[in-house]
Amino acid sequence: MATPASGPKRAERDARLAIPKHAWTQADVAPRVGVSRQTINAIETGKFDPSLPVAFRLARLFDLKIEELFLDEQ
């Protein structure tokens, strides 16, 4: 997890919390939203911003609003 000085990257905090909450691995989540495990990893670490359809599928999967799952870096 990022340090307070550097701040969290997009999706880093919430996506990482959501997966353990449901006891799912990246490999479990990926086919449920139609992407690769590597894509889930890249979203979690803030290296990749998902498309809107993928973001909506992730939010539905975890029963969250998109804004609860992804952090705005503004």
Side-chain angles (χ1 to χ4, degrees), residues 1-8:
M1 176 114 30
T3 62
S6 66

Side-chain angles (χ1 to χ4, degrees), residues 16-52:
R16 284 189 181 180
L17 292 175
I19 291 173
K21 176 181 173 185
H22 291 279
W24 291 336
T25 65
Q26 293 172 351
D28 295 329
V29 172
R32 287 177 165 89
V33 295
V35 298
S36 69
R37 184 207 55 80
Q38 292 86 349
T39 297
I40 296 298
N41 179 270
I43 292 169
E44 279 189 331
T45 59
K47 295 177 182 172
F48 178 75
D49 290 330
S51 65
L52 277 175

